[in-house]
Amino acid sequence: MTVVTRFAPSPTGFLHIGGARTALFNWLFARHHGGRFVLRIEDTDRARSTPEAVAAILDGLAWLGLDWEGEPVYQFARAARHAEAALSLLEKGLAYRCYCSPEELTAMREELKAKGLPPRYDGRWRDRDPSEAPEGVAPVIRLKAPQSGETVIDDLVQGSVTVANSQLDDMILLRADGTPTYMLSVVVDDHDMGITHVIRGDDHLTNAFRQTQLYRALGWETPRFAHIPLIHGPDGAKLSKRHGALGAEAYRDMGFLPEALRNYLTRLGWGHGDAEIFSSEQAAEWFTLEGVGRSPARFDMQKLTALNGHYLRTAEPARLVEAIVPRLEALLEAPLDADARARLTAGMPGLQERAKTLVDLAESAAFYVRPLPLPFEPKAKTAVSGDAGALLGALATELATLEPWTRESLEAFARAQAEARGLKLGQVAQPLRAALTGSTVSPPLFEIMEILGRAESLARLAALPA
RNA sequence: GUCCCCAUCGUCUAGAGGCCUAGGACAUCAGCCUUUCACGCUGAAGACACGGGUUCGAUUCCCGUUGGGGACGCCA
């Protein structure tokens, strides 16, 4: 049997990080088994679903590199099929019409709650004769769920979980307006799409019981369930927008690489021995549901950042240049010319070694492409003032005729100058660094000078702040 | 409130009864490297929530307590 997994987001917002991980686990599981990973857009809530949200989710998945097979299934388009399933249940006496108004149900819940009882539908229309139906009220269709016994799900992550059927009420299948509810749609779609493994957030665990009842009523075999633990914020509470329940594109904008986020998310709630850094191909080879933990995990920006630093250091320089050019152009409010790009390309190895995110990378690369005069950080300004100013003037004179202009000879020059003046190398190098970059932090000085070239270096030495 | 789930360093985790003097990673601290910052390297500190069982022996199995989380919609 071919494994078929799915990711089924509702398009009411962006692809948040928890959803991204759910998609990732489904993708990994399918790949591990040589199966298929498909997408279904759960857009049956017409009031809240938007095409923008669909686009955001698809973009997020694409950016993360989670490719799905075929075209996404739009759930709303299958409403007629869902209704047909509910009607078939009605015919078989496995479902019934309920004429309660929403107000009546709210009152029922509040009354039960006040008594300290669980807020459930009491089944008042379950066995009532349809002839008692009130005039002008459109009924909903409810499943005639078993009232005794228990429902057990054999979850691939959580193990065997049992709930008493008395805890579950008769769920609504079809709304008064004839549209299907989520419970019905999910079951029908998962069945029709041939989904073999439903891997989703733990918050759906209780839904699995109701869905199991529905599968039984419909006479269908249930898929295997795997409810993965939720991701929490740094404070252990449910992940909110304040923490990191941001869209995937927010992580992209913060300068994270998709492979870093994939690696991090894979490791969150899943482990394979001591493995920490691995490709997605490797992860797919290793990925099993047995490796998924059962407790919720907190989202840790620092670890993601550290991982991102690793992937940044090992990335292709050319790719990183392309990634930061738009950021730099936005920063400088001007397009970069070929000369600027050449400097970035030459300087990238030294730059990427030091960056943690693409945002850092762009910031630290900016000095290579800024027009003069350079903006100076306070510390850098201090570093080129006073005695250092005179020193830089003297060095500039010597530098004008230094041959050759290579990092090796520049270093030899700086060492010789330092020795001749009774200074430490750092006392010569720091003022130069500050003068050439406007900062006290940069890639190796002589590498910078070589890349900048003699003319630019001298121009910078001549354009120091007052 | 009812039901369900969870529980190893600050965080993510390894651990499937003796291999545990509980391992790794991030973060933290100290040092080395060094023209700055990173990287890298070395070292330090740091956890089995608690209480009962079961067993010759429990981090590992069972029960309870406590703590955390989730679900209880004509939302998905």
Side-chain angles (χ1 to χ4, degrees):
Chain A
M1 178 185 68
T2 308
V3 164
V4 184
T5 63
R6 46 70 159 186
F7 177 53
S10 57
T12 53
F14 41 55
L15 173 67
H16 64 84
I17 210 68
R21 193 189 56 153
T22 299
L24 174 65
F25 279 21
N26 275 286
W27 181 79
L28 249 15
F29 186 78
R31 296 189 99 199
H32 177 81
H33 291 284
R36 304 193 293 127
F37 169 64
V38 300
L39 224 50
R40 182 172 70 233
I41 306 297
E42 309 219 316
D43 56 352
T44 52
D45 184 347
R46 303 315 288 167
R48 293 198 295 161
S49 299
T50 67
E52 292 73 29
V54 173
I57 289 167
L58 262 32
D59 286 352
L61 289 172
W63 174 71
L64 254 182
L66 302 183
D67 51 320
W68 58 93
E69 196 170 299
E71 287 300 308
V73 168
Y74 287 83
Q75 193 161 59
F76 182 68
R78 296 176 37 80
R81 160 68 177 145
H82 303 154
E84 171 195 311
L87 264 13
S88 80
L89 253 22
L90 196 59
E91 273 172 33
K92 290 182 200 148
L94 295 171
Y96 61 96
R97 292 192 173 86
C98 166
Y99 293 86
C100 287
S101 67
E103 295 72 33
E104 197 177 346
L105 291 171
T106 307
M108 190 189 301
R109 263 182 231 112
E110 273 165 17
E111 197 185 321
L112 288 167
K113 246 178 178 165
K115 284 190 209 159
L117 294 169
R120 285 193 292 258
Y121 172 65
D122 62 9
R124 60 183 62 172
W125 283 94
R126 187 179 167 107
D127 297 308
R128 209 145 143 194
D129 195 281
S131 65
E132 293 178 49
E135 282 298 310
V137 176
V140 299
I141 293 181
R142 288 182 183 269
L143 178 73
K144 198 175 271 186
Q147 294 178 306
S148 59
E150 48 192 29
T151 298
V152 180
I153 56 177
D154 182 22
D155 194 276
L156 260 13
V157 169
Q158 305 292 343
S160 174
V161 189
T162 304
V163 78
N165 287 332
S166 58
Q167 295 295 325
L168 276 13
D169 60 5
D170 292 342
M171 73 185 114
I172 295 179
L173 266 19
L174 235 41
R175 301 187 183 102
D177 65 3
T179 60
T181 59
Y182 162 76
M183 287 293 177
L184 210 216
S185 300
V186 177
V187 168
V188 175
D189 285 347
D190 280 340
H191 170 263
D192 288 1
M193 291 165 75
I195 305 299
T196 59
H197 297 259
V198 171
I199 303 170
R200 78 238 286 200
D202 210 4
D203 50 342
H204 283 283
L205 185 60
T206 51
N207 288 335
F209 293 108
R210 293 174 187 281
Q211 287 161 15
T212 296
Q213 293 183 333
L214 231 190
Y215 276 104
R216 297 241 170 83
L218 256 5
W220 296 338
E221 194 183 332
T222 60
R224 298 308 307 271
F225 290 111
H227 290 91
I228 61 179
L230 267 17
I231 298 177
H232 287 167
D235 58 359
K238 193 176 181 180
L239 201 57
S240 69
K241 284 175 191 166
R242 193 164 51 80
H243 300 124
L246 305 167
E249 79 288 344
Y251 290 89
R252 183 193 60 207
D253 296 345
M254 283 186 274
F256 292 105
L257 259 18
E259 62 267 40
L261 191 53
R262 273 204 309 271
N263 192 155
Y264 177 71
L265 252 20
T266 304
R267 198 66 190 71
L268 204 56
W270 174 84
H272 186 267
D274 285 338
E276 293 288 348
I277 294 177
F278 41 77
S279 68
S280 295
E281 287 64 40
Q282 181 64 82
E285 201 176 297
W286 284 335
F287 193 85
T288 63
L289 260 10
E290 289 76 63
V292 177
R294 285 183 296 174
S295 51
R298 300 188 190 199
F299 191 83
D300 182 6
M301 268 300 196
Q302 285 186 312
K303 191 158 182 177
L304 204 212
T305 304
L307 214 40
N308 201 54
H310 166 82
Y311 283 101
L312 235 29
R313 287 193 292 280
T314 52
E316 253 339 290
R319 171 188 173 200
L320 297 180
V321 171
E322 287 316 304
I324 64 168
V325 162
R327 291 173 193 265
L328 286 169
E329 289 181 335
L331 176 73
L332 303 179
E333 297 178 320
L336 295 184
D337 59 22
D339 194 35
R341 280 173 174 267
R343 282 186 199 164
L344 291 177
T345 301
M348 190 49 74
L351 255 14
Q352 71 191 98
E353 176 84 12
R354 294 165 171 72
K356 294 263 189 278
T357 68
L358 290 173
V359 173
D360 290 349
L361 189 63
E363 273 172 18
S364 63
F367 80 89
Y368 270 128
V369 298
R370 290 196 118 106
L372 301 190
L374 254 29
F376 272 68
E377 290 170 6
K379 275 190 196 164
K381 196 163 179 175
T382 307
V384 298
S385 321
D387 293 347
L391 171 65
L392 289 170
L395 292 175
T397 307
E398 299 284 335
L399 251 13
T401 57
L402 180 76
E403 286 297 343
W405 188 269
T406 62
R407 62 187 75 183
E408 292 78 16
S409 75
L410 284 162
E411 177 166 357
F413 165 79
R415 287 189 188 279
Q417 288 291 323
E419 195 174 346
R421 294 163 200 272
L423 299 172
K424 286 185 176 176
L425 180 56
Q427 290 174 290
V428 171
Q430 269 313 84
L432 273 173
R433 182 193 314 282
L436 296 172
T437 67
S439 168
T440 54
V441 176
S442 81
L445 176 64
F446 309 112
E447 172 182 323
I448 289 175
M449 294 177 80
E450 181 185 275
I451 292 169
L452 249 21
R454 189 196 311 267
E456 178 67 18
S457 296
L458 292 177
R460 290 187 179 199
L461 285 170
L464 297 181

